Amino acid sequence: MRSLRLSFIFATLLLLVHAGFGAEVVGTVIALEGRAALESAAGVRRTIALKSQVSVGDVIVTGDAARLQILCKDQTVISLGENSRIVIDEYIYSETSEQDEVSSSLRVVRGAMRVITGRITALNPDRFRVRTRMATIGVRGCDVGFRLDNGTEHVYALHLPDGHSIWVEPFVKDGPLPYYEMFESGMMVLLQQDALPVQRMMTPEELQQFMDGLKPSTGDSETSDAHTTSTADQASTEQEEETLTITSSASQSEQSESLTENMQRIITEPEPRPPPPEPTPLPTEGPQDAPSAPPPPPPGQESPPALVGGHPELDDWEWGVWESGHVEYYPNRYLGAEFIEHGNFMALVSGSQVYDLAGFGSAGAVLQDENGFKRMIQGSCSINVRIGGSETPLWGGTFSLSNYSPDNPDYDSLNFSVDRSTGGGTFGNDGNMILNALQDYSLRVNGRIFDEETLITKQFEGRLVRPAGASTPTGATGSFNFQHGNGATAKGAFGATFQAFDTQFSSDGCENRSIQTL
């Protein structure tokens, strides 16, 4: 019996060893400062040294004041700051891989991580995912950062080439919230426990703080050939975060030799990607019956729009803005979506069911000053709507657009909001969104700032959209045109996808509210 037990233990250990060596190699540690360790999928723990290999299933942990950089086989670069912990859940790539044969999935448990994507996203932009406790993030050929601490999670769009985007899909108990799209360098999404996510532009201070957490020290740190041993990262609050003992046995002089050169390389932009396909011009401006085929570009608009919004498979709306100031918006023809027209809109208004609808999306605009100076800006918008129960239908929202980047301190921007509670936004009987009053309006173009006092034109229109044949609105899209007496203008479009709060009234007049995922 004893020999059988020993044989079983030996066989189990042998399987674990083979499992550890058989895991798919992801990449190599090319820069290291401080102490780091990993635990393989087979449970084997070891200290990370320069040129250590990293494999699928590895849990990677960095200690105090540590910095780590991994170069993956597809040329993706993963950089970690101090006290960070990530898990490599999946990595499929080879030099001969086809489009459908590549995939990568990382999990960030805590700390700071930066990813500059490589050939996997060049082959298939939809095959690179990062998971956190609060969201799944789709990384599509870009430079993206993550910082997790104190119950909050930050996702940073550090560099986005034209036509690329980052998708953030938060987790909630009752179903997913609408995704958040970052399509411009400098945008970020803030995720917090028990609060709605916030999408906005990064401040220069936030960017600097994040980058400082990943940069190495001066490179002149003291080195020694002596082997040092220490234990870091002993605290653990979950089974997933089982403590790893971090023991530095690599030569510090060898690590420092290439540290500065390699770690500073993460500051550069990712390698150029193939340009995205040109978007198809949108149909004629404003709400109309859907054509059987896309119409030609509007007169004088031979090129596609300079800015576009709306995901072809996720949003029931789309919009485009041309540099000339021409603007178009429409239901998503690819999904067969449609505007909610007069009859269906009035049925919603007079129905017994009350809908509180809220969601997020994108907006774009072309700005021009009195001297003809033009700038294209993009950003985000949020729209909230209350309709039903024979009440006056109301809407509100916030709009934040800019071309801010760390290299562009003289940025241009447009910000304004509409307060639903004070009747700032209402609807016409035909379902068109009406703007009655603005709040916190500010336009910045070519270094000058304009407020609402100089506005001579406030044009705003928009419509609710729905899937073909459905009754509940799933989003809103429209356009705006602001003109100032001194010649400054802002012409743009927007779209938002709703997360519905379905409010029903029982026979005794009491409210029963539940979240409804659209």
Side-chain angles (χ1 to χ4, degrees), residues 281-284 296-302 322 326 328:
L282 301 176
T284 53
Q301 306 294 338
E302 298 179 356
W322 276 259
H326 183 81
E328 300 175 358

Side-chain angles (χ1 to χ4, degrees), residues 174-424:
D174 301 306
L177 286 169
Y179 67 90
Y180 294 74
E181 177 189 11
M182 294 189 287
F183 44 80
E184 180 182 356
S185 300
M187 297 185 74
M188 65 166 286
V189 172
L190 171 63
L191 301 158
Q192 306 172 82
Q193 294 179 351
D194 302 320
L196 286 174
V198 176
Q199 181 173 343
R200 58 175 174 81
M201 300 301 293
M202 297 174 64
T203 65
E205 292 76 18
E206 287 172 325
L207 176 61
Q208 188 64 49
Q209 181 184 13
F210 177 75
M211 298 305 294
D212 287 346
L214 292 172
K215 289 179 182 178
S217 62
T218 60
D220 299 327
S221 56
E222 182 179 354
T223 62
S224 172
D225 291 333
H227 294 180
T228 59
T229 302
S230 65
T231 302
D233 213 3
Q234 297 294 325
S236 175
T237 58
E238 296 184 21
Q239 182 177 1
E240 180 187 27
E241 297 191 34
E242 181 178 355
T243 303
L244 295 182
T245 301
I246 302 177
T247 306
S248 178
S249 59
S251 166
Q252 292 295 316
S253 59
E254 179 187 7
Q255 294 174 13
S256 299
E257 184 177 347
S258 61
L259 174 65
T260 303
E261 177 183 355
N262 286 317
M263 287 296 286
Q264 294 295 347
R265 194 167 67 85
I266 70 171
I267 308 302
T268 60
E269 294 183 354
E271 60 186 85
R273 309 290 180 213
E278 292 188 350
T280 303
L282 301 176
T284 53
E285 184 170 356
Q288 299 180 13
D289 294 333
S292 57
Q301 306 294 338
E302 298 179 356
S303 61
L307 302 175
V308 294
H311 191 285
E313 296 181 353
L314 299 176
D315 295 317
D316 287 327
W317 46 268
E318 56 183 343
W319 56 259
V321 178
W322 276 259
E323 189 174 356
S324 65
H326 183 81
V327 175
E328 300 175 358
Y329 64 92
Y330 210 76
N332 186 336
R333 296 162 295 160
Y334 177 80
L335 296 179
E338 57 190 20
F339 284 123
I340 295 183
E341 303 294 351
H342 169 73
N344 293 319
F345 178 79
M346 294 308 297
L348 284 172
V349 173
S350 60
S352 60
Q353 184 168 339
V354 178
Y355 292 96
D356 272 331
L357 308 164
F360 300 85
S362 60
V366 56
L367 309 183
Q368 181 172 324
D369 68 4
E370 65 273 21
N371 299 317
F373 175 89
K374 286 186 178 182
R375 279 292 186 269
M376 309 297 295
I377 60 173
Q378 285 183 288
S380 61
C381 68
S382 65
I383 302 290
N384 59 85
V385 173
R386 184 175 175 90
I387 185 172
S390 298
E391 301 176 3
T392 299
L394 300 171
W395 72 272
T398 58
F399 301 77
S400 179
L401 299 80
S402 80
N403 57 8
Y404 170 81
S405 72
D407 300 325
N408 181 26
D410 297 325
Y411 62 92
D412 309 284
S413 64
L414 173 65
N415 296 278
F416 64 94
S417 60
V418 179
D419 186 359
R420 189 182 81 180
S421 65
T422 59

Side-chain angles (χ1 to χ4, degrees), residues 19-33:
F21 282 101
E24 177 73 18
V25 174
V26 173
T28 303
V29 175
I30 61 171
L32 176 64
E33 179 177 81

Side-chain angles (χ1 to χ4, degrees), residues 362-365 367 377 380-383 395-402 413-419 424 433-444 450-452 455 458-461 478-482 484 490-494:
S362 60
L367 309 183
I377 60 173
S380 61
C381 68
S382 65
I383 302 290
W395 72 272
T398 58
F399 301 77
S400 179
L401 299 80
S402 80
S413 64
L414 173 65
N415 296 278
F416 64 94
S417 60
V418 179
D419 186 359
M433 300 170 70
I434 297 174
L435 173 63
N436 298 317
L438 285 170
Q439 279 195 343
D440 304 320
Y441 176 91
S442 175
L443 171 65
R444 173 174 173 152
F450 306 89
D451 57 25
E452 190 177 357
L455 273 176
K458 293 186 295 185
Q459 294 178 345
F460 191 101
E461 62 180 60
S479 65
F480 51 84
N481 179 6
F482 300 121
H484 294 260
K491 298 179 180 180
F494 67 92

